Amino acid sequence: MDEKQFESALKSVRVPTLVLDQKWHRLFAISGKPEEVKGLEVQCKEILVRQGHLNQEIKDLKKIKSDLMQGIVQNMDGADQNKATQENEKKLSDNKRLLEETNAKLEADEDELMEIPKLLKEKNDELMLATMSYCYARLRTNASEAKDITEWITNVRIELKKNIIKKQNREINNKEIYSYLHDIFGRDVMQLFDVKYEEEFTTPLKKEEPSEGVRRKEEKEANKDRSENFDVKKNEES
C-alpha cells in the first residue's frame, strides 16, 4: 500500500480519543512517553478542557439569556400600562444591551464548540501516528532482542549438554581408575593411600556403591547424552 492509499484508508478509520483511554497510557508504562507523544497529549487535553469550558459557559449563558428576556418582558409590560418609571426604563435598556452581548457571546461559543470535534480529531490522529511509530519501533526492538536471547539460550543448552557429558565421563573415569587400582594393589594398600589423599578428593568407592540396575541405567543415560551431543556437533559442522 502506497502512502496515498494509506492516508485515504486512514481517514475512514474511527479512532477513540486516546488520552481518555487507560490502555493507551499503558503502552508507555515501561519506557515512558517520548517527547512528541507528550506534546500532542498536552494539546489534546487542552482541547478537551476547552470543550468542557465552552459547554459549561453556553449552559450558563442560556440561563442568563432566559433571565434577561424575562426581565425585559416584565419591564415592557410596565411600560405598556403607562406605569414605567425612569428606573424601569434604565433596567429595560440595560437588559436589552446585556441580552445583545449574551447573544453575541453565545453565538461565538457555539461556533467555536462546533469546531472542537474537527480540531480534536486532527490532533488525535497526529497522536495516533506518533503512537504507532513509537510502538512499532518497540516491537522491532523487542523482536530483535528476543531473537538474540533465543540464540543465547540455544547455545547455553548445547554447552550445558556438553558439560553434563564431560562431568559424567570424569566420574565414570574416576570409578574405573579406582577400581583398577583396587584390583592391582589390593584393599590394604588402597586404604593406606585413601588415608594419605583423603583431603584431596573423596574416592568413588568410599561412597555407597549403586546397584547393578542403577549403574546400567546411568551408563545408558550417559551413552544417550554422548549420542545426542554427537548429533548436535555433527549438525553444527554441517
Side-chain angles (χ1 to χ4, degrees):
M1 183 183 294
D2 59 31
E3 191 65 25
K4 288 184 178 180
Q5 289 177 322
F6 174 75
E7 291 178 358
S8 177
L10 204 58
K11 288 179 180 179
S12 62
V13 175
R14 187 174 181 179
V15 181
T17 304
L18 298 177
V19 296
L20 301 179
D21 191 329
Q22 288 302 314
K23 289 183 179 179
W24 176 79
H25 290 281
R26 290 292 301 165
L27 289 172
F28 310 95
I30 296 177
S31 302
K33 295 169 185 171
E35 292 303 316
E36 182 183 9
V37 170
K38 286 181 180 179
L40 290 168
E41 180 186 9
V42 169
Q43 293 179 53
C44 286
K45 286 182 176 179
E46 288 175 348
I47 293 172
L48 289 170
V49 169
R50 181 58 181 167
Q51 185 181 46
H53 176 76
L54 287 171
N55 280 323
Q56 184 60 48
E57 191 169 74
I58 288 172
K59 181 180 178 181
D60 294 340
L61 287 170
K62 286 182 177 180
K63 177 67 170 58
I64 293 171
K65 179 179 178 180
S66 176
D67 293 342
L68 288 171
M69 290 181 68
Q70 186 176 356
I72 290 172
V73 170
Q74 290 175 350
N75 287 313
M76 287 180 68
D77 289 343
D80 291 342
Q81 296 173 8
N82 297 319
K83 295 179 181 178
T85 63
Q86 186 176 0
E87 184 179 352
N88 286 341
E89 289 178 358
K90 186 177 184 304
K91 284 183 179 180
L92 181 62
S93 176
D94 289 343
N95 284 347
K96 287 181 178 181
R97 176 180 55 79
L98 290 173
L99 182 60
E100 289 177 359
E101 292 176 358
T102 300
N103 283 334
K105 178 61 176 171
L106 187 59
E107 184 178 354
D109 282 358
E110 288 175 340
D111 288 343
E112 184 180 354
L113 186 62
M114 288 180 64
E115 294 297 318
I116 290 289
K118 179 182 177 183
L119 183 59
L120 181 60
K121 184 180 185 310
E122 290 176 356
K123 290 301 175 184
N124 196 57
D125 286 350
E126 289 181 33
L127 184 57
M128 175 191 64
L129 293 174
T131 299
M132 288 298 189
S133 177
Y134 166 82
C135 288
Y136 272 87
R138 289 293 304 170
L139 288 171
R140 286 191 294 270
T141 300
N142 288 341
S144 177
E145 291 179 358
K147 181 181 177 182
D148 292 341
I149 293 170
T150 299
E151 291 176 356
W152 178 85
I153 291 172
T154 300
N155 292 333
V156 168
R157 282 176 176 168
I158 293 172
E159 289 301 314
L160 180 60
K161 282 188 175 182
K162 290 180 180 178
N163 286 327
I164 288 174
I165 294 170
K166 286 180 181 179
K167 173 180 175 293
Q168 291 172 340
N169 285 339
R170 300 302 182 271
E171 291 173 347
I172 291 171
N173 188 236
N174 266 7
K175 289 180 181 180
E176 290 176 345
I177 290 172
Y178 193 85
S179 178
Y180 291 147
L181 289 173
H182 197 278
D183 291 344
I184 294 169
F185 297 104
R187 178 179 179 181
D188 293 340
V189 174
M190 292 304 299
Q191 284 181 342
L192 291 174
F193 280 92
D194 285 347
V195 172
K196 177 177 175 60
Y197 293 111
E198 67 179 351
E199 293 183 359
E200 295 183 23
F201 69 96
T202 302
T203 57
L205 296 184
K206 276 187 177 274
K207 299 178 182 179
E208 184 178 348
E209 285 292 324
S211 65
E212 183 66 23
V214 172
R215 188 159 52 246
R216 288 180 180 178
K217 184 177 180 181
E218 289 179 348
E219 291 176 358
K220 184 177 180 181
E221 290 177 352
N223 291 333
K224 181 181 178 182
D225 287 336
R226 290 192 195 94
S227 176
E228 289 179 354
N229 185 60
F230 178 77
D231 291 339
V232 169
K233 187 174 181 181
K234 184 176 180 182
N235 290 333
E236 288 177 347
E237 291 176 353
S238 61

